[in-house]
Amino acid sequence: MIELELTYLAKFLPEGLKDCKYKEIIDVYLPKSSEHPKLRLRKSGNNYELCKKQVVKAGDASEQTEETIVLTVEEFNGLSSQLDGKRVHKLRYYYDHKGRTAEFDVFQGELLGVVVIDFEFETKEEKDNFEMPNFCMVDVTQELFIAGGMICGRTYSDIEEDLARFNYQKLFLD
């Protein structure tokens, strides 16, 4: 499967976001020794999977192949308790913006204050013609520091210098 996606840093959290449907996501990226792991064990609400994502064309993170194996909760718990991977915890809110779903990832734990927004697309044309919403600060799709395999296992202070390049201010969902 090919995934077409754009990722933005949030400028502000729109009114009503906290009332939107959301899922708790826990990711374990493997192997821990890799600078940018491509293999991810994921709990997304009540769904569990093992996923591998890879960029299709070097230098363009907006298009990736994605291979997924669905797991049971027992398989997830067994693997996650025995594997030493890089972890990240976030709440993903599904916000309707002009008929398109904006996925707000509100990071928890050591990354509290970081909020990124993903939009997925069916075609390259849709992606290429998409206009950034006003609640988005900047397109960070090509920024390595914010990629899932890079941000996992890190703290806010680890990425603070990168965020400062965009004048990013911590955001919190009250």
Side-chain angles (χ1 to χ4, degrees):
M1 176 177 125
I2 300 288
E3 181 181 71
L4 300 171
E5 183 176 79
L6 292 174
T7 303
Y8 300 92
L9 282 177
K11 185 189 304 182
F12 63 88
L13 302 178
E15 191 173 319
L17 180 65
K18 68 181 175 184
D19 299 323
C20 292
K21 184 178 113 182
Y22 74 93
K23 289 182 184 176
E24 176 187 46
I25 296 178
I26 298 172
D27 288 331
V28 182
Y29 284 86
L30 305 160
K32 189 174 188 175
S33 60
S34 174
E35 180 185 13
H36 188 180
K38 307 291 187 257
L39 192 60
R40 173 186 75 203
L41 184 62
R42 171 170 276 184
K43 174 193 181 294
S44 178
N46 294 321
N47 297 311
Y48 307 89
E49 64 187 28
L50 182 62
C51 181
K52 186 173 185 176
K53 288 176 76 171
Q54 296 186 91
V55 172
V56 172
K57 185 173 68 175
D60 182 9
S62 71
E63 187 175 337
Q64 299 189 31
T65 60
E66 185 174 322
E67 300 172 70
T68 302
I69 299 172
V70 176
L71 302 174
T72 65
V73 64
E74 294 83 8
E75 291 167 332
F76 174 85
N77 289 336
L79 288 169
S80 66
S81 67
Q82 295 192 20
L83 297 172
D84 187 26
K86 298 180 192 180
R87 295 176 183 266
V88 70
H89 181 206
K90 58 192 174 185
L91 300 178
R92 176 169 290 164
Y93 288 82
Y94 298 91
Y95 180 81
D96 180 63
H97 174 71
K98 297 182 179 180
R100 185 173 291 283
T101 301
E103 296 178 350
F104 279 76
D105 284 347
V106 180
F107 287 85
Q108 305 295 297
E110 295 294 321
L111 290 166
L112 193 63
V114 176
V115 178
V116 298
I117 306 159
D118 287 334
F119 286 91
E120 294 185 3
F121 304 92
E122 295 293 322
T123 67
K124 288 181 186 182
E125 183 177 79
E126 281 181 349
K127 178 182 66 77
D128 293 343
N129 293 320
F130 183 71
E131 290 186 28
M132 182 177 79
N134 67 339
F135 50 77
C136 296
M137 175 178 282
V138 64
D139 182 343
V140 291
T141 307
Q142 307 306 336
E143 293 289 333
L144 196 56
F145 82 93
I146 204 78
M150 291 295 289
I151 201 171
C152 59
R154 301 183 82 193
T155 67
Y156 190 94
S157 61
D158 291 337
I159 64 169
E160 194 165 13
E161 190 174 308
D162 289 304
L163 292 169
R165 290 187 290 128
F166 304 106
N167 295 314
Y168 182 81
Q169 301 294 310
K170 286 184 175 183
L171 296 172
F172 302 97
L173 193 58
D174 299 328

